[in-house]
Amino acid sequence: HSMASEYDHSIRAIAKSLDLELVEPEGWVCCGSSPAHRVDPHLAVELPLKNMAVLEQMGLGEVTLPCAMCFNRFRVALHDVASDPALKAEMEAEVGHRFADTVAVRSLLDVLINRVGLDKIAGQVKTPLTGLKVACYYGCLMTRPPKITGAEQPEYPQDMDHLMAALGATPVDWGGKTTCCGASLSITRTDIVLDLSARILADARAAGADAV
């Protein structure tokens, strides 16, 4: 609603055009994003689970996370408590909710591809992106580790490429799709992040992309 308000507006507009009803849970909190798991691993599990408690109490069956970091942190938190009964009990006591694991955590890309479908999306296109060469960037958060993200093609995913093709754009073949941009070091080692991100952009340009 603040620093990413344009993303919020875009997603709501897309959802409306595709007949997706979005429900924003009341009382949701920040997932801790990238810094939390480096500073306080315990809190990095607790924050997403606070949101999961709200979702379960609302009776919702799934949640879609437009932000790749949020998607990854939710999935990691659920994996951690599922594989550690003691941690789950501790989190349930702290959050004040007994988790039933009834809410599916999905990325927005997953929802667009598998719930809405490419045919419907293509049918809504008013101005095809003909001639636009796009480098589809997934980063490491949407795909790895696959046992947590559920990615079927963690090293060279294709879903976003198919989505861009449905919009009329031309996806380029490049090797930077899942390369880490260093986001978790954005505060502590900005120099590393700038270098990694610059390499990704350079690779996209070298592949002939007009946009990422």
Side-chain angles (χ1 to χ4, degrees):
H1 296 158
S2 56
M3 290 187 293
S5 61
E6 74 287 347
Y7 197 23
D8 181 48
H9 295 158
S10 296
I11 292 164
R12 291 181 187 276
I14 291 168
K16 183 178 180 180
S17 70
L18 297 175
D19 300 322
L20 276 177
E21 182 182 356
L22 299 179
V23 178
E24 184 173 343
E26 293 187 12
W28 67 270
V29 298
C30 175
C31 74
S33 189
S34 186
H37 70 281
R38 297 183 59 81
V39 177
D40 190 338
H42 187 86
L43 187 62
V45 175
E46 181 183 347
L47 290 174
L49 291 182
K50 285 184 175 180
N51 291 310
M52 292 301 296
V54 172
L55 295 166
E56 287 191 1
Q57 290 164 1
M58 291 178 66
L60 299 176
E62 66 180 23
V63 59
T64 180
L65 286 306
C67 169
M69 177 60 77
C70 292
F71 166 74
N72 190 277
R73 295 317 307 169
F74 271 56
R75 283 290 187 100
V76 168
L78 290 175
H79 174 270
D80 287 352
V81 295
S83 58
D84 188 340
L87 177 62
K88 180 180 180 181
E90 183 179 358
M91 286 296 164
E92 289 179 336
E94 291 186 14
V95 175
H97 175 76
R98 186 176 294 276
F99 294 102
D101 194 22
T102 56
V103 181
V105 176
R106 306 173 67 181
S107 68
L108 180 61
L109 180 60
D110 176 20
V111 170
L112 290 175
I113 296 291
N114 298 307
R115 175 181 275 272
V116 178
L118 293 173
D119 289 341
K120 182 172 182 177
I121 292 173
Q124 292 293 323
V125 175
K126 302 296 189 296
T127 307
L129 302 178
T130 305
L132 185 69
K133 296 179 180 179
V134 180
C136 295
Y137 180 69
Y138 302 76
C140 54
L141 297 172
M142 292 181 67
T143 60
R144 298 199 294 271
K147 67 178 182 179
I148 291 177
T149 63
E152 296 181 358
Q153 298 175 303
E155 298 302 328
Y156 202 80
Q158 292 288 307
D159 281 352
M160 199 184 305
D161 298 65
H162 298 324
L163 178 60
M164 290 300 103
L167 300 179
T170 302
V172 300
D173 183 24
W174 71 310
K177 283 188 174 187
T178 60
T179 302
C180 179
C181 67
S184 59
L185 299 173
S186 57
I187 296 175
T188 55
R189 288 298 305 272
T190 307
D191 58 322
I192 294 178
V193 178
L194 290 175
D195 179 56
L196 292 176
S197 298
R199 293 184 186 185
I200 293 171
L201 292 174
D203 287 345
R205 290 193 185 97
D210 302 311
V212 177

